[in-house]
Amino acid sequence: MDHYTLLNFKDCVSKGGHLTPIEEQIDVPFQIKRVYYITGVAQAAERGCHAHKNLQQVLICLNGSISIRIKAPNKEEIVTLNNPSAGLYIGPLVWSELFDFTKGSVLLVVASEHYSANDYIADYNLYLTEAQAAFQEHQNTDP
Amino acid sequence: MDHYTLLNFKDCVSKGGHLTPIEEQIDVPFQIKRVYYITGVAQAAERGCHAHKNLQQVLICLNGSISIRIKAPNKEEIVTLNNPSAGLYIGPLVWSELFDFTKGSVLLVVASEHYSANDYIADYNLYLTEAQAAFQEHQNTDP
């Protein structure tokens, strides 16, 4: 699994609208222990701005549009989510910043672990040190 | 646990908007194995109109407003969801019909089991027979 990647979910369309199912270990590569959602965000606001040590998450925009700046060592990318059948998988030690929430936007996050304050890395320099060491080790052990 | 009931979730408010966490076995009374969401529904459409043999679900409206007609033996109620911090728990053998989806409405469902076509009861008369028998037994074994 990449450190972060876009996932495409099934979109079950009928005259009754769209239904998108997300089953643990099938549509996302982990057991779902928690979900959370973010609503009512002003367009100028930023959220996120941290990484996690172990948590795996999938971010899905269910209404409107939300942009996510992803940072990993030697890599930076902006992903805009505006489609309920697309999810952004974010693994451990990937820094993310959420911005450009349109009016009425809804962000759903499906998460692999219960909430743990100890799992957060909110200092960017500390993040870079830990991520560079971990990604280097990961590269060295790849076949 | 009642056959169906309203749940109130934590609403973490900040200048960055609202964040609502739902942890399995804490905020909902089951392990989360699946989530699904429904979007793009025309106001005149109806969805649901079935019960489940074993599935437990919590329905949450993340944007707009959605009404749910709940039927259990000798009981019928309409619940309107329009607040992301409210969830409607629906246990086994409760019939539900979804209607009055406002434009842009988003329904999130957190579910206790993987999808199983065998778990559905889509015939109302069959539902009534099964539910009456089960609820009667439940009543008789209550302390």
Side-chain angles (χ1 to χ4, degrees), chain B residues 66-108:
Chain B
I66 296 162
S67 291
I68 300 126
R69 189 179 299 107
I70 303 284
K71 297 183 185 175
N74 307 320
K75 207 164 177 187
E76 182 169 331
E77 200 169 340
I78 289 176
V79 174
T80 297
L81 295 175
N82 57 10
N83 176 352
S85 66
L88 176 62
Y89 169 86
I90 299 182
L93 295 175
V94 173
W95 186 270
S96 65
E97 302 170 354
L98 315 180
F99 63 103
D100 263 359
F101 290 76
T102 61
K103 191 171 161 59
S105 59
V106 174
L107 182 71
L108 171 67

Side-chain angles (χ1 to χ4, degrees), chain A residues 18 22-23 35 37 39 84 114, chain B residues 16 18 22-23 35 37 39 84 114:
Chain A
H18 298 256
I22 300 181
E23 310 230 15
V35 303
Y37 39 87
T39 57
H114 286 287
Chain B
H18 297 256
I22 300 181
E23 310 231 15
V35 304
Y37 38 86
T39 57
H114 285 287

